[in-house]
Amino acid sequence: MLKFEDNYPLNKITTLQIGGPARKFVKVKTDEELIKAIKYAKDQLMPYLIIGGGSNLLVSDEGFDGLVIKNEITGSISTSKVGFDSFEVSTKSGTPLQDLVDYTIAHGLSGLQKLTGIPGTIGGAVYGNAGAYGQTISGHLSNIVILACPESDSGCASLTRMTLSKRDCNFNYRDSIFKKTHDIILEVIFQLELGDPKILQQETQDILAKRLVKYPPGIKCPGSFFKNIIATSLPQEILQKIPPEKIIYGKLPAAALLEQVGAKGQKLDGIEIATYHANLFINKGHGSAKAFYNLAKKYAKKVKEKFGITLEPEVQLINLPTLI
Ligand SMILES: Cc1cc2nc3c(=O)[nH]c(=O)nc-3n(C[C@H](O)[C@H](O)[C@H](O)COP(=O)(O)OP(=O)(O)OC[C@H]3O[C@@H](n4cnc5c(N)ncnc54)[C@H](O)[C@@H]3O)c2cc1C
């Protein structure tokens, strides 16, 4: 039975603990419940927004004037052998990413281990093509089952379940086709190879130790705020001025530019930029979306003025204007 709640405070479900109320809010635990929730929104002529763990969201203080659907569709992760040492692993989109990473490590499967420690669900990770330490969620992905939900469709007649190949998803750095369509990710299938369990364990432990320094437990943040910049996308005259050691995995970290314009340690009304990382914006207590947004905008503007580079938010802005 679906439980629709009125004026639900979204700061309760974002890792940033910021965000005004959703006009309506519902948790869904099955595909059928999800379809019912969408049908409800369409019947009420209300916009809807699907969310996972809320770990990559900056929601405005005014909240969201529609239905927020929290995806809690999980289920057992399944594996089948598809080759001599390769396996297909299938999981529902509401499964926490960490559960999948832990499962693959326990089964000695390689390909997702570097994503350890990234909060949120599989659906959220696929939407933004989450990644870390040179690995991305799309790297070993083979297929996705989606619910195609055309925005123009006023009823539910055209809600269609379909399977997309990896190629259909247009994955790029922190980007996928789902940022343009209104489609909902239901299930994700990966193809993974056997690895050495000891090496996999060691890799994850090393990464978790590094992550613990950057993201101490309880930190109220949405991960890195801005995307890094793909080095090959930079004009030659800018690239020439950047020492090669600053380019990591083919990208110029946004933090390096933000540091150059004095962002580290800056504060505004309860929001603080970490003293140790210029691309980490933290809610220190009762910060608002407005303060967060204004602080980010201020330093993005300074980067633009000094380097001519437009920083793009990695975080999803909900009911907020484009940053620059
Ligand atoms: C401490 C911390 C560390 C982080 N480190 C990293 C990192 O190393 N690398 C990295 O890439 N990210 C990182 N992040 C950001 C974030 O965890 C990831 O982007 C994560 O994958 C988001 O998943 P989520 O379920 O929380 O998505 P949400 O924040 O709930 O949603 C994000 C977007 O995905 C969409 N979405 C969610 N589920 C679905 C679905 N089923 N179908 C269609 N669209 C959907 C939402 O509409 C929204 O636009 C970090 C965040 C925190 C707080």
Side-chain angles (χ1 to χ4, degrees):
M1 181 73 174
L2 286 179
K3 185 176 161 217
F4 291 93
E5 295 180 64
D6 292 316
N7 294 319
Y8 186 92
L10 293 172
N11 62 358
K12 273 170 69 172
I13 42 131
T14 57
T15 55
L16 193 47
Q17 294 185 18
I18 283 178
R23 174 144 56 116
K24 290 271 179 194
F25 176 82
V26 70
K27 292 178 184 172
V28 295
K29 295 195 184 295
T30 62
D31 292 1
E32 292 68 34
E33 285 188 355
L34 171 67
I35 291 169
K36 275 189 194 155
I38 296 172
K39 187 166 168 30
Y40 173 86
K42 290 196 178 234
D43 285 350
Q44 304 288 317
L45 303 178
M46 210 188 262
Y48 61 88
L49 171 73
I50 176 118
I51 64 162
S55 65
N56 204 24
L57 303 178
L58 175 61
V59 180
S60 82
D61 300 314
E62 286 69 43
F64 181 74
D65 188 18
L67 172 66
V68 171
I69 305 172
K70 183 159 164 45
N71 176 13
E72 294 189 350
I73 308 173
T74 57
S76 54
I77 301 169
S78 67
T79 309
S80 55
K81 200 167 194 275
V82 289
F84 176 66
D85 60 359
S86 64
F87 292 80
E88 219 169 61
V89 175
S90 165
T91 178
K92 294 282 194 182
S93 62
T95 303
L97 174 60
Q98 189 65 45
D99 288 3
L100 175 67
V101 173
D102 291 345
Y103 174 95
T104 59
I105 306 287
H107 288 74
L109 297 172
S110 173
L112 295 170
Q113 69 279 6
K114 293 186 182 174
L115 307 182
T116 191
I118 301 181
T121 60
I122 303 292
V126 169
Y127 177 91
N129 193 13
Y133 299 97
Q135 210 168 60
T136 60
I137 189 93
S138 64
H140 287 76
L141 186 153
S142 57
N143 295 96
I144 301 193
V145 180
I146 62 154
L147 189 67
C149 308
E151 229 170 330
S152 54
D153 171 37
S154 56
C156 281
S158 60
L159 287 183
T160 324
R161 209 182 143 92
M162 52 197 281
T163 301
L164 303 184
S165 69
K166 174 175 173 170
R167 186 192 282 238
D168 297 328
C169 301
N170 291 355
F171 286 115
N172 258 307
Y173 170 58
R174 298 294 179 273
D175 200 16
S176 74
I177 197 164
F178 305 106
K179 290 195 172 177
K180 293 178 193 74
T181 65
H182 213 53
D183 300 338
I184 294 179
I185 300 148
L186 293 179
E187 203 172 318
V188 186
I189 299 120
F190 299 90
Q191 190 155 342
L192 303 171
E193 274 78 53
L194 280 180
D196 180 333
K198 275 198 187 135
I199 296 178
L200 294 173
Q201 291 259 345
Q202 192 56 55
E203 262 186 302
T204 54
Q205 276 165 18
D206 293 349
I207 288 173
L208 283 175
K210 282 188 206 155
R211 294 187 71 97
L212 211 54
V213 176
K214 185 172 174 192
Y215 303 113
I219 188 171
K220 295 184 211 164
C221 78
S224 298
F225 186 76
F226 291 106
K227 287 185 187 177
N228 295 329
I229 302 105
I230 298 171
T232 51
S233 72
L234 289 169
Q236 268 308 314
E237 64 272 21
I238 294 181
L239 200 54
Q240 275 162 8
K241 290 185 205 151
I242 298 165
E245 67 274 13
K246 293 266 181 207
I247 310 284
I248 302 167
Y249 297 119
K251 305 195 189 68
L252 171 64
L257 301 174
L258 289 159
E259 190 174 339
Q260 291 294 310
V261 295
K264 270 184 174 175
Q266 294 299 321
K267 296 175 189 170
L268 182 67
D269 298 337
I271 306 297
E272 196 173 308
I273 303 175
T275 48
Y276 56 92
H277 200 290
N279 194 14
L280 189 54
F281 291 61
I282 306 164
N283 177 10
K284 296 301 275 188
H286 300 287
S288 62
K290 187 173 174 209
F292 194 105
Y293 181 92
N294 286 341
L295 193 61
K297 189 175 171 100
K298 177 175 172 183
Y299 284 93
K301 206 163 158 237
K302 284 181 186 272
V303 166
K304 177 82 179 167
E305 281 161 10
K306 182 158 181 177
F307 301 102
I309 295 175
T310 306
L311 292 180
E312 250 187 79
E314 179 170 327
V315 169
Q316 300 308 301
L317 306 182
I318 309 296
N319 195 17
L320 285 163
T322 314
L323 206 65
I324 292 197

